[in-house]
């Protein structure tokens, strides 16, 4: 079954970014502008992303594949859009967590421990095998042709 990936609202993205941003000298100015109500959510997110590492991506932690899914409602537990379970990661760290590619690698060598590896493992465990595995038969002894007779020393 394909699991849904719900859209993350702008308000949740802003909340996560406000939690994770390094609060420097600009933070009081930002807070006062928010209190006055002069900034839209889009503008707030743009400012906050400027203070996060360049190219930071929003990541579900734990991954959606590791969360319980209620098939009747289609909701995850914990919720997919819960800000407590979302985090901004640098692009390379996000790539390593998602598909297993190391920071300096040209290609992915192994996916062990990544989100994709867990998804593949759960798919294998949830899907019953189509047919039972057949045992490999042992090598049969030749039939019809007898083993060669040893030559007598007199015939040498």
């Amino acid at each position: 079954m394909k699991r849904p990936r719900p859209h993350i609202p702008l308000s949740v993205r802003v909340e996560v970014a406000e939690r994770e941003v390094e609060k420097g000298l600009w933070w009081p100015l930002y807070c006062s502008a928010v209190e006055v109500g002069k900034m839209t959510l889009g503008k707030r997110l743009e400012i906050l992303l400027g203070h996060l590492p360049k190219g930071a991506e929003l990541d579900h932690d734990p991954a959606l594949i590791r969360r319980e899914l209620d098939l009747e409602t289609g909701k995850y537990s914990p919720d997919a859009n819960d800000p407590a379970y979302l985090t901004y990661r640098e692009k390379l760290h996000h790539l390593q967590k998602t598909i297993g590619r190391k920071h300096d690698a040209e290609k992915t060598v192994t996916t062990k421990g990544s989100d994709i590896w867990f998804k593949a493992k759960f798919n294998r465990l949830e899907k019953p095998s189509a047919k039972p595995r057949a045992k490999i038969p042992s090598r049969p002894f030749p039939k019809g042709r007898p083993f060669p007779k040893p030559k007598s020393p007199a015939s040498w």
Side-chain angles (χ1 to χ4, degrees):
M1 176 188 153
K2 187 169 171 107
R3 291 176 158 232
R5 288 190 60 83
H7 172 73
I8 302 170
L10 204 54
S11 59
V12 173
R13 292 172 188 237
V14 169
E15 186 177 341
V16 173
E18 285 176 342
R19 182 187 71 219
E20 295 199 1
V21 77
E22 222 175 278
K23 296 169 176 68
L25 295 173
W26 61 276
W27 185 251
L29 293 172
Y30 171 81
C31 291
S32 63
V34 170
E35 287 174 10
V36 172
K38 296 286 184 185
M39 286 198 295
T40 62
L41 284 174
K43 185 65 177 170
R44 286 170 61 184
L45 185 60
E46 183 181 332
I47 290 170
L48 292 168
L49 288 178
H51 291 280
L52 287 170
K54 187 172 182 168
E57 297 176 348
L58 199 57
D59 182 32
H60 292 91
D61 196 10
L64 293 179
I65 193 65
R66 295 184 186 189
R67 300 182 191 192
E68 288 184 36
L69 177 66
D70 186 356
L71 296 175
E72 293 176 11
T73 62
K75 300 244 181 208
Y76 289 97
S77 175
D79 188 39
N81 291 335
D82 186 349
Y85 296 98
L86 290 168
T87 182
Y88 277 97
R89 294 187 194 276
E90 290 183 34
K91 187 172 186 166
L92 294 176
H93 288 107
H94 187 220
L95 199 61
Q96 181 176 355
K97 180 183 174 290
T98 305
I99 66 169
R101 179 172 291 170
K102 301 285 184 194
H103 306 304
D104 54 351
E106 292 179 14
K107 62 180 183 176
T108 304
V109 177
T110 179
T111 59
K112 180 80 174 180
S114 67
D115 298 339
I116 287 180
W117 177 78
F118 273 100
K119 181 177 187 227
K121 180 176 181 176
F122 287 139
N123 285 346
R124 274 194 315 271
L125 293 175
E126 288 175 356
K127 183 174 34 170
S129 62
K131 60 179 182 177
R133 288 185 173 187
K135 289 186 178 181
I136 299 174
S138 65
R139 184 174 169 193
F141 290 107
K143 295 178 183 165
R145 186 179 66 166
F147 288 106
K149 294 182 179 178
K151 295 183 180 180
S152 64
S155 64
W156 292 358

